[in-house]
Amino acid sequence: MENKGLLFIPDISGFTRFVNEIELEHSHHIIQQLLEVLINANQAGFEISEIEGDAILFYKFGAPIELEVLYKQVERMFCEFHRHLNAYDQRKICQCHACVAAVNLTLKVITHYGEFTTYQVKNFSKLIGKDVIVAHQLLKNNIAEHEYWLVTDKLFRDGSRPDLASWMKWNASKKETETGNVLFHYTQLGELRKQLPPEPDPQLELASKVKVFSVSKEYDVDIKTLIYTVVHFEFRHLWQVGLKAVDEVEHFLPGVGSRHRHVMSNGREVLMYTSSFSYDPEDKAVFSETEEKRKRATYYTVEKINDHKSRLTLDYYLHKNTINEFVFKLTEKTALETDLRKSLDNLVPIVMNMKLPLEF
């Protein structure tokens, strides 16, 4: 059995369209995370031969694995894949097409049993054999849908179609290759998506808060330009008075619940959480940051006035406490309000010269 084994390929459908049409940096990062999710969901002891852009070539030498065991592996990877996408869709702040379209990516899984062997290229074990070619050819087939599990007939040892789930229906087909037809069965997996529980609300807003002041300014730019400039941390220090940098951003694509650090010009450091985000490109966006100790929060509200004019409002909140409110108004309010008004003024030349990514 040393030259026989299982080939197992989860493939992310929609990847080619994803990277051709939308921003490469964000789409590549999203795909990288999804591939890591699939690898972490490997509970069957598969080895990895290579990662092939949008797919992973897993393998395992030995006798054929029972379909019940294989299905549990397929189910785990499929569900973890979509849990990750659902969670990201709820947390996302970036509104580029890559981030918005990510939730529509799909997953198919190819399983094939055959003959192959390994060879070493430095520290990597590569697979070679005709059945490795067959497994890859099966990725291109006549199945119209993009979320399915394909099983070649070598794994249907008694010819029967296993009853692995009440909703599961098997279909038979074949793949024409240079060496003959490869017979296979496949079943759709979309029902598993419907069974996933909803993601918990990621919002981390102050439970009890009071607004202590508000500042606002109108800009001669469209709403998307203003939103893009305000929510992306790399621009914040360019306009916000007293802020030297935003660093230690917890995630390459930060979302609701992720942490970052404000480094102030006076040397003070403040850990912040992105605590809420809502977005309607035709009306307004609301984005908030809350201090780690959950005592203060700033809300950034961008509203559309017309196609070429928009408004930014900064609302400053404190955790509701009468004594703290009194002390803040006595010692900090005037200076902080003045700084934020200057910040809004500083934002004018930045938004006027901002160039949005093509697909934002």
Side-chain angles (χ1 to χ4, degrees):
M1 288 290 184
E2 62 181 7
N3 290 329
K4 289 186 176 181
L6 176 76
L7 296 165
F8 186 101
I9 308 177
D11 177 82
I12 302 173
S13 298
F15 177 78
T16 302
R17 173 184 56 79
F18 202 40
V19 297
N20 281 348
E21 294 182 1
I22 46 193
E23 295 173 289
L24 291 178
E25 188 177 23
H26 285 196
S27 60
H28 281 161
H29 191 79
I30 291 167
I31 295 297
Q32 176 188 336
Q33 284 195 315
L34 289 170
L35 293 172
E36 291 175 358
V37 167
L38 296 175
I39 291 171
N40 291 336
N42 172 21
Q43 61 183 12
F46 296 147
E47 300 289 334
I48 298 175
S49 173
E50 55 188 310
I51 296 174
E52 302 165 333
D54 54 351
I56 305 171
L57 176 56
F58 289 103
Y59 70 95
K60 189 172 187 178
F61 286 117
I65 298 175
E66 295 291 336
L67 282 179
E68 290 80 0
V69 176
L70 274 180
Y71 171 64
K72 289 299 181 184
Q73 179 61 84
V74 171
E75 180 185 51
R76 180 177 174 83
M77 284 190 178
F78 186 89
C79 290
E80 290 301 311
F81 176 88
H82 281 293
R83 284 193 190 100
H84 179 85
L85 285 178
N86 290 343
Y88 179 68
D89 193 53
Q90 280 213 25
R91 295 192 314 267
K92 72 178 185 296
I93 292 175
C94 180
Q95 297 297 312
C96 76
H97 284 193
C99 293
V100 171
V103 73
N104 297 319
L105 290 173
T106 57
L107 185 72
K108 59 187 176 185
V109 180
I110 307 297
T111 50
H112 175 58
Y113 187 80
E115 295 184 2
F116 56 91
T117 189
T118 61
Y119 66 98
Q120 290 295 122
V121 178
K122 292 192 174 181
N123 296 327
F124 300 94
S125 292
K126 306 281 285 184
L127 298 185
I128 188 171
K130 64 180 181 64
D131 282 298
V132 177
I133 298 173
V134 168
H136 283 89
Q137 289 176 327
L138 288 167
L139 289 167
K140 305 294 183 181
N141 53 58
N142 59 0
I143 303 173
E145 296 82 0
H146 298 288
E147 293 209 309
Y148 57 82
W149 174 28
L150 184 154
V151 184
T152 55
D153 280 12
K154 289 185 178 181
L155 288 165
F156 281 81
R157 284 177 289 179
D158 57 4
S160 63
R161 301 179 184 185
D163 183 19
L164 301 175
S166 59
W167 50 265
M168 188 176 287
K169 296 180 180 179
W170 290 96
N171 301 283
S173 189
K174 63 182 179 181
K175 172 73 175 181
E176 295 183 4
T177 69
E178 297 83 354
T179 57
N181 291 332
V182 178
L183 304 178
F184 63 84
H185 285 74
Y186 67 93
T187 182
Q188 299 299 327
L189 297 173
E191 187 64 30
L192 288 173
R193 293 181 70 171
K194 300 176 184 178
Q195 297 176 7
L196 290 176
E199 287 297 312
D201 188 348
Q203 310 294 320
L204 296 172
E205 298 178 88
L206 294 178
S208 178
K209 61 183 183 292
V210 59
K211 186 192 297 186
V212 289
F213 69 84
S214 179
V215 296
S216 183
K217 188 175 182 65
E218 294 182 1
Y219 300 86
D220 293 324
V221 294
D222 61 279
I223 185 173
K224 286 189 176 182
T225 299
L226 189 54
I227 291 171
Y228 181 82
T229 311
V230 169
V231 304
H232 283 78
F233 294 140
E234 60 265 36
F235 308 123
R236 186 72 63 79
H237 70 286
L238 300 176
W239 59 274
Q240 190 159 320
V241 172
L243 182 65
K244 183 179 179 181
V246 177
D247 64 7
E248 293 188 4
V249 180
E250 187 174 17
H251 198 283
F252 178 81
L253 297 174
V256 177
S258 62
R259 191 176 71 172
H260 54 281
R261 184 178 69 166
H262 284 188
V263 180
M264 311 307 291
S265 300
N266 60 9
R268 182 167 166 257
E269 298 176 354
V270 184
L271 291 177
M272 306 289 292
Y273 281 93
T274 300
S275 47
S276 68
F277 182 77
S278 62
Y279 179 68
D280 178 349
E282 298 303 320
D283 183 22
K284 70 177 181 179
V286 181
F287 164 77
S288 72
E289 291 177 313
T290 300
E291 289 186 356
E292 186 181 41
K293 295 180 180 180
R294 299 175 73 94
K295 299 295 184 182
R296 303 184 181 201
T298 306
Y299 282 70
Y300 303 75
T301 301
V302 181
E303 298 173 282
K304 179 178 179 178
I305 298 175
N306 57 45
D307 289 344
H308 306 290
K309 198 176 189 69
S310 51
R311 178 189 302 109
L312 173 60
T313 301
L314 304 184
D315 295 312
Y316 200 83
Y317 287 85
L318 296 180
H319 176 68
K320 196 168 185 179
N321 181 291
T322 304
I323 296 176
N324 289 341
E325 292 171 44
F326 176 78
V327 172
F328 174 82
K329 291 177 181 179
L330 189 64
T331 61
E332 296 183 61
K333 179 179 180 294
T334 300
L336 183 55
E337 186 174 356
T338 299
D339 283 348
L340 289 181
R341 289 190 186 280
K342 290 180 181 177
S343 298
L344 294 180
D345 292 338
N346 292 344
L347 188 57
V348 173
I350 297 171
V351 294
M352 296 303 295
N353 292 293
M354 181 60 62
K355 301 296 182 183
L356 265 63
L358 179 64
E359 298 293 345
F360 187 81

